[in-house]
Amino acid sequence: MGRNQHVVHACQGGWNVRGENSKRVTVHTSTKAEATRIARTISRNQNSELFIHGMDGRIQSRDSHGHDPHPPRG
């Protein structure tokens, strides 16, 4: 399983995609939508979680692409 991916607002403007616990940015984009699309692709390929943060840094939403600690019952 790969690293969880985070979409976060960049201090210099735009949005970053960053692997969990990584100091390096994977991708920098000008829009949140583009960063989310890229991060979702990475997350799916790595069977990891995707966390999308707002401008304030709080998690707004998340997607599970593989390991879900609380899968839906059905």
Side-chain angles (χ1 to χ4, degrees):
M1 183 166 80
R3 240 182 211 174
N4 293 338
Q5 299 298 310
H6 293 260
V7 174
V8 295
H9 186 255
C11 296
Q12 72 275 22
W15 293 84
N16 290 333
V17 176
R18 183 183 311 245
E20 192 164 306
N21 297 324
S22 177
K23 293 181 180 182
R24 299 185 74 189
V25 171
T26 304
V27 176
H28 175 79
T29 66
S30 58
T31 67
K32 186 176 183 179
E34 185 179 8
T36 300
R37 180 183 57 77
I38 293 167
R40 184 167 280 120
T41 299
I42 294 169
S43 171
R44 281 186 181 137
N45 289 340
Q46 295 183 352
N47 294 322
S48 62
E49 302 282 316
L50 168 61
F51 296 89
I52 302 168
H53 299 257
M55 297 270 297
D56 62 0
R58 292 184 181 185
I59 295 172
Q60 290 182 324
S61 64
R62 66 184 281 182
D63 289 339
S64 176
H65 299 287
H67 175 69
D68 187 349
H70 305 287
R73 297 177 189 248

